[in-house]
Amino acid sequence: MARPTLKEHVINREWCKGCGICVYFCPRDVLELDGDDKVVAVRPKDCICCMMCEQRCPDLAIEVITERKEDG
Amino acid sequence: MQDNVRFIQGNEACMEGALYAGLNFFAGYPITPSSEIAENLSFRLPRLGGKFIQMEDEIASICAIIGASLTGSKAMTATSGPGFSLMQEGLGYAVMAEIPCVIVNVMRGGPSTGLPTSGGQGDVMQARWGTHGDHSIIAVTASNHQDVFKMTVEAFNLAETYRTPVILLLDETIGHMRERLEIPEPGEIQVVQRLRTSVQGGVDYHPYLPREDGRLPMSDFGGVHRYNVTGLYHDMWGFPTSSPEIVHGLIRHLVDKIENNVGDIVRYKEFYLDDADTILISYGSAARSARHVVKSLRARNIRLGMIELQTLWPFPYDMIREKCKNADHIVVVEMNIGQVVRMVKRAVDAPDRVVLANRIDGRFISDKDIKGILRVIQGKGV
Amino acid sequence: MAVKDYIRERFFPHMWCAGCGHGTVLNGMLQAIEALGLSKNEIVMVSGIGCSSRISGYVDFHTLHTIHGRALAFATGVKMSLPKLNVIVPMGDGDALSIGGNHFIHAARRNLDMTALVMNNRIYGMTGGQFSPLSGLGVIATTAPYSNIDHDFDVVEMATAAGATFVARTTSYHVRQIKEIIKKAILHKGFSVVEILSQCPTYFGRKNKLGSAVDMMAAMKENTTPIGSKAKKENPDLIERGIFVQKDLPVYNEEYDKIIKRAQAAGK
Ligand SMILES: Cc1ncc(C[n+]2csc(CCOP(=O)(O)OP(=O)(O)O)c2C)c(N)n1
Ligand code: SF4
Ligand code: SF4
Ligand code: SF4
């Protein structure tokens, strides 16, 4: 079985309150708050799909969508 | 003795009435003079597959019966003055969330711990206004065991019909007195069952949208409809709102569903009113002495009549005004400093004709006490 | 099903402040329920009053939002009346242990089969930051402007002493542990207590100059340690996380079913 890889971060800008929890605790510095204090995935390539941002978000505002790619 | 005839306490008559009405959940906390209701139910309910639980206090007790009612149970608690005080917040919740349940208050002398083993009728106004905020309430009472049974069934019926808590105000004298009770056959007294929604699963159900006839069909917790129940002002799905229109509509509904149905809700008895120039108005145990006085004075051709109130709230203003319009004197007999008498004064056309015959020393009001007042009224001195 | 399938989306974004730990508790709890594959119709959530208690409005179960401190008493009625239901009772620290303290210890003692969650932010959030019985000495609150002299108690020790048969603690930082512990708590037969340390950046954080929600969560990571860890031996001030009690004792609702059988046998 292949490891899941990132398809996309789905961010609900209506729900995100810009608390920064996902940004700060992301192990790979993938996320940032923009000028409106909403989260954006600025370095998606670095994402290791640990899901911590999705699981910790107090506002259920970020989802990490993954896919499984076969090796090679 | 026949199988269905008992010689029992009023508290037991209340319990029998509750079981007849389909009670299957009781939560309570011991307090004199109501404890026999809990004790007897702890024995009887499990035999019928029902549930009895002794809670940590009266606050918990009323909360538990509300929770049980939401799963479809017919639920009741029983207490006396101090415990009834503790229940007031929960009572208001049941009013707001429209949860059918029955709260028995076997009144004793108050305020505070007062006179635990003496009768009193001092909680009439507390039943009406004990919980905070505008609201309406149903409270019923009874003066003898046959009526205690009947009015207990009635309390459950009203709770189900109007989706509301109903208070059964008994008193120590009735609760502890032994008297004959003939338990009616099943079907003899109508029992109102929980009105459940016919809305199927998957179809939008509105727990707080009254039907055309004003009734609100329920759906048991655990069933196919998931909705919210709250003490906050709420919309027809039960979700909090502070929209002025919805708030206004809900408080009106809560009050109107009772006040607009006074005619259907009110129960009373009348004796010798046709030609009465003096009318006694009484309720609960005090009405027993009032009855005796009427009987004995009628034998001497004194034109005395009587109204026994069985519904205290909503107050039967119209009925009282109508029945008392030709009376020269109206004497309210009660065991408090004057609670129902105020309502009667409000109801009648000439309030100055209304006087109070009461006792507030823990002793049961006697024929003599009432006759003394009647002599004063009739100008015969004390 | 996904976590989103268990919420009432139309009420989102929810009413909690940015960074409020209660939202993470909601998130973790829903992950647990999803992992257990529970059906929405078998869950009754009963809550009291407080920021924390508003959680019941956001989940698509049978929800009963009651009065301050009394959630467990309502829940007792629900569970006793219909034991097949899965009853979950989230509470604030004030809700559960101040005004509701009596119900809390007696529910624990009775060992009814239900799950109590204490969302402990050490403050009265809803009413604007007054101290709670969990605030602890030295804390600043709107009713303790000179610092709090009211001793706190330990929820885990309290619940254990009162007889809860499952007692655990975690924090809003440790969301995977929230999920794992709540799963076990729900599966446990008997009264389960899960204390989840949660941050209130708006009142507790601001009054006590603890920084942002992020700072408060980082502190939870720093100040806690797994039960019996080496770190705890070196630094006794660390707060332990994990499952403290997990034992089988007769469950009230099941014992009552036996009472019914006995009563019915005697009545024949
Ligand atoms: C009987 C009663 N007393 C007081 C209040 C006011 N009140 C509402 S919530 C609350 C405390 C909330 O604190 P907590 O339970 O810790 O929850 P939080 O808001 O911090 O999540 C208080 C005192 C009330 N609603 N009812
Ligand atoms: S944790 Fe959630 S609410 Fe906070 S910034 Fe990230 S996405 Fe937004
Ligand atoms: S999944 Fe992990 S690595 Fe990817 S953005 Fe979220 S927290 Fe960062
Ligand atoms: S006041 Fe505190 S507890 Fe309440 S929502 Fe805001 S952060 Fe959360």
Side-chain angles (χ1 to χ4, degrees), chain A residues 9 22 25-28 30-31 46-54 64:
Chain A
H9 292 91
C22 58
F25 294 111
C26 169
R28 292 296 159 102
V30 174
L31 309 167
D46 294 348
C47 176
I48 53 169
C49 303
C50 69
M51 314 302 275
M52 288 314 301
C53 52
E54 174 176 329
V64 182

Short mmCIF file of all heavy atoms in Angstrom, two decimals, chain A residues 9 22 25-28 30-31 46-54 64, ligand 3:
data_model
loop_
_atom_site.label_atom_id
_atom_site.label_comp_id
_atom_site.label_asym_id
_atom_site.label_seq_id
_atom_site.Cartn_x
_atom_site.Cartn_y
_atom_site.Cartn_z
N HIS A 9 -5.63 21.06 0.40
CA HIS A 9 -6.17 21.54 1.66
C HIS A 9 -7.48 22.24 1.34
O HIS A 9 -7.49 23.15 0.51
CB HIS A 9 -5.24 22.55 2.32
CG HIS A 9 -3.96 21.96 2.80
ND1 HIS A 9 -2.82 21.90 2.02
CD2 HIS A 9 -3.63 21.39 3.99
CE1 HIS A 9 -1.85 21.32 2.71
NE2 HIS A 9 -2.31 20.99 3.90
N CYS A 22 -3.46 25.91 13.66
CA CYS A 22 -2.97 24.99 12.63
C CYS A 22 -1.62 25.46 12.09
O CYS A 22 -0.73 24.67 11.82
CB CYS A 22 -3.99 24.87 11.49
SG CYS A 22 -4.37 26.45 10.70
N PHE A 25 1.28 24.87 14.85
CA PHE A 25 1.64 23.49 15.20
C PHE A 25 1.89 22.59 13.99
O PHE A 25 2.15 21.40 14.15
CB PHE A 25 0.58 22.87 16.12
CG PHE A 25 0.52 23.54 17.47
CD1 PHE A 25 -0.56 24.32 17.85
CD2 PHE A 25 1.58 23.40 18.37
CE1 PHE A 25 -0.61 24.94 19.09
CE2 PHE A 25 1.55 24.02 19.61
CZ PHE A 25 0.45 24.80 19.98
N CYS A 26 1.82 23.13 12.78
CA CYS A 26 2.15 22.31 11.60
C CYS A 26 3.63 21.97 11.65
O CYS A 26 4.47 22.86 11.74
CB CYS A 26 1.83 23.08 10.31
SG CYS A 26 2.50 22.25 8.85
N PRO A 27 3.96 20.70 11.57
CA PRO A 27 5.37 20.31 11.71
C PRO A 27 6.21 20.78 10.52
O PRO A 27 7.44 20.80 10.60
CB PRO A 27 5.33 18.79 11.78
CG PRO A 27 4.04 18.39 11.17
CD PRO A 27 3.08 19.52 11.42
N ARG A 28 5.57 21.12 9.39
CA ARG A 28 6.33 21.47 8.19
C ARG A 28 6.13 22.90 7.71
O ARG A 28 6.50 23.24 6.60
CB ARG A 28 5.98 20.50 7.05
CG ARG A 28 6.46 19.08 7.29
CD ARG A 28 7.99 19.05 7.34
NE ARG A 28 8.45 17.87 8.04
CZ ARG A 28 8.92 16.79 7.43
NH1 ARG A 28 8.96 16.76 6.13
NH2 ARG A 28 9.32 15.78 8.15
N VAL A 30 3.63 24.50 6.62
CA VAL A 30 2.93 24.54 5.34
C VAL A 30 1.95 25.72 5.27
O VAL A 30 1.66 26.24 4.20
CB VAL A 30 2.16 23.20 5.15
CG1 VAL A 30 1.27 23.22 3.91
CG2 VAL A 30 3.15 22.04 5.10
N LEU A 31 1.41 26.11 6.45
CA LEU A 31 0.28 27.04 6.46
C LEU A 31 0.67 28.43 6.93
O LEU A 31 1.64 28.60 7.69
CB LEU A 31 -0.82 26.48 7.40
CG LEU A 31 -1.21 25.02 7.14
CD1 LEU A 31 -2.05 24.47 8.31
CD2 LEU A 31 -1.99 24.90 5.84
N ASP A 46 5.31 20.68 0.93
CA ASP A 46 5.99 20.20 2.13
C ASP A 46 5.08 19.38 3.05
O ASP A 46 5.53 18.81 4.04
CB ASP A 46 6.53 21.39 2.94
CG ASP A 46 7.63 22.13 2.20
OD1 ASP A 46 8.10 21.58 1.18
OD2 ASP A 46 7.99 23.23 2.63
N CYS A 47 3.79 19.38 2.74
CA CYS A 47 2.82 18.73 3.64
C CYS A 47 3.07 17.23 3.73
O CYS A 47 3.24 16.55 2.72
CB CYS A 47 1.41 18.99 3.12
SG CYS A 47 0.14 18.15 4.08
N ILE A 48 3.09 16.71 4.94
CA ILE A 48 3.30 15.27 5.11
C ILE A 48 1.99 14.56 5.48
O ILE A 48 1.99 13.39 5.90
CB ILE A 48 4.37 14.98 6.20
CG1 ILE A 48 4.01 15.72 7.49
CG2 ILE A 48 5.77 15.36 5.67
CD1 ILE A 48 4.85 15.31 8.70
N CYS A 49 0.88 15.29 5.36
CA CYS A 49 -0.44 14.70 5.60
C CYS A 49 -0.57 14.07 6.99
O CYS A 49 -1.18 13.01 7.15
CB CYS A 49 -0.79 13.67 4.53
SG CYS A 49 -0.72 14.36 2.87
N CYS A 50 0.00 14.75 7.97
CA CYS A 50 -0.13 14.23 9.33
C CYS A 50 -1.53 14.46 9.89
O CYS A 50 -1.90 13.88 10.90
CB CYS A 50 0.91 14.88 10.24
SG CYS A 50 0.58 16.62 10.55
N MET A 51 -2.29 15.32 9.27
CA MET A 51 -3.69 15.62 9.62
C MET A 51 -3.86 16.42 10.90
O MET A 51 -4.99 16.68 11.33
CB MET A 51 -4.54 14.33 9.76
CG MET A 51 -4.37 13.32 8.67
SD MET A 51 -4.74 14.01 7.06
CE MET A 51 -6.50 13.80 7.03
N MET A 52 -2.77 16.81 11.51
CA MET A 52 -2.92 17.49 12.80
C MET A 52 -3.69 18.80 12.66
O MET A 52 -4.47 19.16 13.54
CB MET A 52 -1.54 17.77 13.43
CG MET A 52 -0.83 16.55 13.96
SD MET A 52 -1.85 15.41 14.94
CE MET A 52 -2.39 16.48 16.25
N CYS A 53 -3.48 19.52 11.57
CA CYS A 53 -4.20 20.79 11.40
C CYS A 53 -5.71 20.54 11.38
O CYS A 53 -6.48 21.22 12.06
CB CYS A 53 -3.74 21.51 10.13
SG CYS A 53 -3.80 20.48 8.66
N GLU A 54 -6.12 19.54 10.61
CA GLU A 54 -7.54 19.22 10.51
C GLU A 54 -8.11 18.78 11.86
O GLU A 54 -9.20 19.18 12.26
CB GLU A 54 -7.73 18.10 9.46
CG GLU A 54 -9.15 17.61 9.39
CD GLU A 54 -9.37 16.56 8.30
OE1 GLU A 54 -8.67 16.63 7.26
OE2 GLU A 54 -10.22 15.69 8.49
N VAL A 64 -7.75 18.14 5.16
CA VAL A 64 -6.61 17.71 4.34
C VAL A 64 -7.09 16.54 3.48
O VAL A 64 -7.40 15.47 4.01
CB VAL A 64 -5.42 17.28 5.22
CG1 VAL A 64 -4.23 16.89 4.36
CG2 VAL A 64 -5.05 18.39 6.20
S1 SF4 D 3 -1.43 17.83 7.37
FE1 SF4 D 3 0.25 18.14 8.82
S2 SF4 D 3 1.88 18.79 7.55
FE2 SF4 D 3 0.12 19.02 6.29
S3 SF4 D 3 -0.52 21.11 6.62
FE3 SF4 D 3 -1.62 19.92 8.09
S4 SF4 D 3 -0.36 19.96 9.93
FE4 SF4 D 3 0.91 20.64 8.22
#
